[in-house]
Amino acid sequence: MDFASLGEAARGLAPDFLIGGSKGYHLARELDIPLIRVGFPIHDRIGGQRILHLGYRGAQQLFDAVTNTLLARAQERSPVGYSYL
């Protein structure tokens, strides 16, 4: 699926985040949701080529990225900012 088709589907679903390469940036910005950069290409971040995607450690890193993205989003929208969860 390309990001144009994904965008059409996502506009009606109100997703919390988008997982994909750097080419998903424009869609994430349009939908006002965070982009978790995974896969290829990641050309707008330093070290994108070294992000581990495979195996147990890759799954752990993806889970951490998703969780931290959701926590950051909640903190950004909170009137008190950072607090212990």
PDB file of all heavy atoms in Angstrom, residues 38-39 49-62:
ATOM      1  N   VAL A  38      10.322   3.423  10.739  1.00  0.00           N
ATOM      2  CA  VAL A  38      10.721   2.025  10.672  1.00  0.00           C
ATOM      3  C   VAL A  38      10.839   1.662   9.201  1.00  0.00           C
ATOM      4  O   VAL A  38      10.058   2.142   8.377  1.00  0.00           O
ATOM      5  CB  VAL A  38       9.665   1.115  11.350  1.00  0.00           C
ATOM      6  CG1 VAL A  38       9.983  -0.350  11.153  1.00  0.00           C
ATOM      7  CG2 VAL A  38       9.556   1.417  12.819  1.00  0.00           C
ATOM      8  N   GLY A  39      11.774   0.813   8.868  1.00  0.00           N
ATOM      9  CA  GLY A  39      11.883   0.343   7.493  1.00  0.00           C
ATOM     10  C   GLY A  39      12.816   1.190   6.663  1.00  0.00           C
ATOM     11  O   GLY A  39      13.747   1.800   7.170  1.00  0.00           O
ATOM     12  N   GLN A  49      19.894   4.275   9.244  1.00  0.00           N
ATOM     13  CA  GLN A  49      20.335   3.036   8.624  1.00  0.00           C
ATOM     14  C   GLN A  49      20.759   1.993   9.649  1.00  0.00           C
ATOM     15  O   GLN A  49      20.901   0.825   9.315  1.00  0.00           O
ATOM     16  CB  GLN A  49      21.475   3.306   7.629  1.00  0.00           C
ATOM     17  CG  GLN A  49      22.809   3.611   8.261  1.00  0.00           C
ATOM     18  CD  GLN A  49      22.958   5.052   8.728  1.00  0.00           C
ATOM     19  OE1 GLN A  49      22.032   5.835   8.754  1.00  0.00           O
ATOM     20  NE2 GLN A  49      24.172   5.409   9.099  1.00  0.00           N
ATOM     21  N   ARG A  50      20.946   2.398  10.900  1.00  0.00           N
ATOM     22  CA  ARG A  50      21.382   1.458  11.936  1.00  0.00           C
ATOM     23  C   ARG A  50      20.243   1.009  12.846  1.00  0.00           C
ATOM     24  O   ARG A  50      20.492   0.271  13.799  1.00  0.00           O
ATOM     25  CB  ARG A  50      22.490   2.096  12.772  1.00  0.00           C
ATOM     26  CG  ARG A  50      23.783   2.291  12.017  1.00  0.00           C
ATOM     27  CD  ARG A  50      24.898   2.760  12.934  1.00  0.00           C
ATOM     28  NE  ARG A  50      24.602   4.036  13.571  1.00  0.00           N
ATOM     29  CZ  ARG A  50      24.891   5.233  13.046  1.00  0.00           C
ATOM     30  NH1 ARG A  50      25.481   5.295  11.874  1.00  0.00           N
ATOM     31  NH2 ARG A  50      24.602   6.337  13.676  1.00  0.00           N
ATOM     32  N   ILE A  51      19.024   1.428  12.585  1.00  0.00           N
ATOM     33  CA  ILE A  51      17.904   1.011  13.421  1.00  0.00           C
ATOM     34  C   ILE A  51      17.689  -0.485  13.234  1.00  0.00           C
ATOM     35  O   ILE A  51      17.524  -0.965  12.114  1.00  0.00           O
ATOM     36  CB  ILE A  51      16.627   1.801  13.076  1.00  0.00           C
ATOM     37  CG1 ILE A  51      16.825   3.280  13.392  1.00  0.00           C
ATOM     38  CG2 ILE A  51      15.430   1.243  13.835  1.00  0.00           C
ATOM     39  CD1 ILE A  51      15.672   4.155  12.950  1.00  0.00           C
ATOM     40  N   LEU A  52      17.698  -1.218  14.324  1.00  0.00           N
ATOM     41  CA  LEU A  52      17.536  -2.660  14.296  1.00  0.00           C
ATOM     42  C   LEU A  52      16.054  -3.005  14.150  1.00  0.00           C
ATOM     43  O   LEU A  52      15.213  -2.496  14.895  1.00  0.00           O
ATOM     44  CB  LEU A  52      18.101  -3.264  15.586  1.00  0.00           C
ATOM     45  CG  LEU A  52      18.077  -4.777  15.706  1.00  0.00           C
ATOM     46  CD1 LEU A  52      18.938  -5.405  14.618  1.00  0.00           C
ATOM     47  CD2 LEU A  52      18.582  -5.182  17.073  1.00  0.00           C
ATOM     48  N   HIS A  53      15.728  -3.846  13.168  1.00  0.00           N
ATOM     49  CA  HIS A  53      14.338  -4.198  12.916  1.00  0.00           C
ATOM     50  C   HIS A  53      14.037  -5.675  13.130  1.00  0.00           C
ATOM     51  O   HIS A  53      12.881  -6.051  13.189  1.00  0.00           O
ATOM     52  CB  HIS A  53      13.972  -3.869  11.463  1.00  0.00           C
ATOM     53  CG  HIS A  53      14.022  -2.423  11.157  1.00  0.00           C
ATOM     54  ND1 HIS A  53      15.078  -1.849  10.500  1.00  0.00           N
ATOM     55  CD2 HIS A  53      13.161  -1.430  11.432  1.00  0.00           C
ATOM     56  CE1 HIS A  53      14.851  -0.553  10.370  1.00  0.00           C
ATOM     57  NE2 HIS A  53      13.705  -0.271  10.928  1.00  0.00           N
ATOM     58  N   LEU A  54      15.041  -6.504  13.195  1.00  0.00           N
ATOM     59  CA  LEU A  54      14.829  -7.951  13.190  1.00  0.00           C
ATOM     60  C   LEU A  54      15.092  -8.585  14.539  1.00  0.00           C
ATOM     61  O   LEU A  54      15.877  -8.087  15.341  1.00  0.00           O
ATOM     62  CB  LEU A  54      15.754  -8.606  12.158  1.00  0.00           C
ATOM     63  CG  LEU A  54      15.577  -8.138  10.713  1.00  0.00           C
ATOM     64  CD1 LEU A  54      16.644  -8.741   9.829  1.00  0.00           C
ATOM     65  CD2 LEU A  54      14.199  -8.459  10.203  1.00  0.00           C
ATOM     66  N   GLY A  55      14.446  -9.704  14.776  1.00  0.00           N
ATOM     67  CA  GLY A  55      14.699 -10.515  15.951  1.00  0.00           C
ATOM     68  C   GLY A  55      14.115  -9.927  17.223  1.00  0.00           C
ATOM     69  O   GLY A  55      13.320  -8.990  17.223  1.00  0.00           O
ATOM     70  N   TYR A  56      14.514 -10.523  18.316  1.00  0.00           N
ATOM     71  CA  TYR A  56      13.998 -10.141  19.631  1.00  0.00           C
ATOM     72  C   TYR A  56      14.355  -8.694  19.976  1.00  0.00           C
ATOM     73  O   TYR A  56      13.506  -7.920  20.405  1.00  0.00           O
ATOM     74  CB  TYR A  56      14.561 -11.103  20.686  1.00  0.00           C
ATOM     75  CG  TYR A  56      14.045 -10.838  22.075  1.00  0.00           C
ATOM     76  CD1 TYR A  56      12.758 -11.230  22.432  1.00  0.00           C
ATOM     77  CD2 TYR A  56      14.829 -10.189  23.021  1.00  0.00           C
ATOM     78  CE1 TYR A  56      12.276 -10.997  23.704  1.00  0.00           C
ATOM     79  CE2 TYR A  56      14.349  -9.952  24.294  1.00  0.00           C
ATOM     80  CZ  TYR A  56      13.074 -10.356  24.632  1.00  0.00           C
ATOM     81  OH  TYR A  56      12.594 -10.110  25.893  1.00  0.00           O
ATOM     82  N   ARG A  57      15.615  -8.316  19.772  1.00  0.00           N
ATOM     83  CA  ARG A  57      16.024  -6.940  20.096  1.00  0.00           C
ATOM     84  C   ARG A  57      15.338  -5.927  19.197  1.00  0.00           C
ATOM     85  O   ARG A  57      14.978  -4.838  19.638  1.00  0.00           O
ATOM     86  CB  ARG A  57      17.541  -6.800  20.029  1.00  0.00           C
ATOM     87  CG  ARG A  57      18.227  -7.524  21.178  1.00  0.00           C
ATOM     88  CD  ARG A  57      19.667  -7.177  21.331  1.00  0.00           C
ATOM     89  NE  ARG A  57      20.366  -7.091  20.049  1.00  0.00           N
ATOM     90  CZ  ARG A  57      21.623  -6.715  19.916  1.00  0.00           C
ATOM     91  NH1 ARG A  57      22.320  -6.381  20.967  1.00  0.00           N
ATOM     92  NH2 ARG A  57      22.177  -6.665  18.729  1.00  0.00           N
ATOM     93  N   GLY A  58      15.142  -6.259  17.945  1.00  0.00           N
ATOM     94  CA  GLY A  58      14.430  -5.361  17.039  1.00  0.00           C
ATOM     95  C   GLY A  58      12.983  -5.164  17.481  1.00  0.00           C
ATOM     96  O   GLY A  58      12.457  -4.049  17.451  1.00  0.00           O
ATOM     97  N   ALA A  59      12.341  -6.253  17.902  1.00  0.00           N
ATOM     98  CA  ALA A  59      10.957  -6.161  18.396  1.00  0.00           C
ATOM     99  C   ALA A  59      10.896  -5.328  19.675  1.00  0.00           C
ATOM    100  O   ALA A  59       9.980  -4.525  19.861  1.00  0.00           O
ATOM    101  CB  ALA A  59      10.387  -7.555  18.633  1.00  0.00           C
ATOM    102  N   GLN A  60      11.881  -5.509  20.563  1.00  0.00           N
ATOM    103  CA  GLN A  60      11.940  -4.706  21.786  1.00  0.00           C
ATOM    104  C   GLN A  60      12.080  -3.225  21.455  1.00  0.00           C
ATOM    105  O   GLN A  60      11.422  -2.378  22.059  1.00  0.00           O
ATOM    106  CB  GLN A  60      13.126  -5.122  22.664  1.00  0.00           C
ATOM    107  CG  GLN A  60      12.898  -6.345  23.477  1.00  0.00           C
ATOM    108  CD  GLN A  60      14.102  -6.615  24.357  1.00  0.00           C
ATOM    109  OE1 GLN A  60      15.253  -6.520  23.938  1.00  0.00           O
ATOM    110  NE2 GLN A  60      13.838  -6.950  25.603  1.00  0.00           N
ATOM    111  N   GLN A  61      12.956  -2.905  20.517  1.00  0.00           N
ATOM    112  CA  GLN A  61      13.165  -1.507  20.151  1.00  0.00           C
ATOM    113  C   GLN A  61      11.914  -0.907  19.524  1.00  0.00           C
ATOM    114  O   GLN A  61      11.582   0.250  19.795  1.00  0.00           O
ATOM    115  CB  GLN A  61      14.356  -1.371  19.211  1.00  0.00           C
ATOM    116  CG  GLN A  61      15.672  -1.579  19.918  1.00  0.00           C
ATOM    117  CD  GLN A  61      16.866  -1.369  19.005  1.00  0.00           C
ATOM    118  OE1 GLN A  61      16.743  -1.009  17.840  1.00  0.00           O
ATOM    119  NE2 GLN A  61      18.053  -1.610  19.541  1.00  0.00           N
ATOM    120  N   LEU A  62      11.206  -1.665  18.702  1.00  0.00           N
ATOM    121  CA  LEU A  62       9.966  -1.171  18.116  1.00  0.00           C
ATOM    122  C   LEU A  62       8.920  -0.943  19.196  1.00  0.00           C
ATOM    123  O   LEU A  62       8.241   0.089  19.210  1.00  0.00           O
ATOM    124  CB  LEU A  62       9.443  -2.140  17.055  1.00  0.00           C
ATOM    125  CG  LEU A  62       8.109  -1.747  16.418  1.00  0.00           C
ATOM    126  CD1 LEU A  62       8.200  -0.386  15.738  1.00  0.00           C
ATOM    127  CD2 LEU A  62       7.660  -2.815  15.433  1.00  0.00           C
TER     128      LEU A  62
END
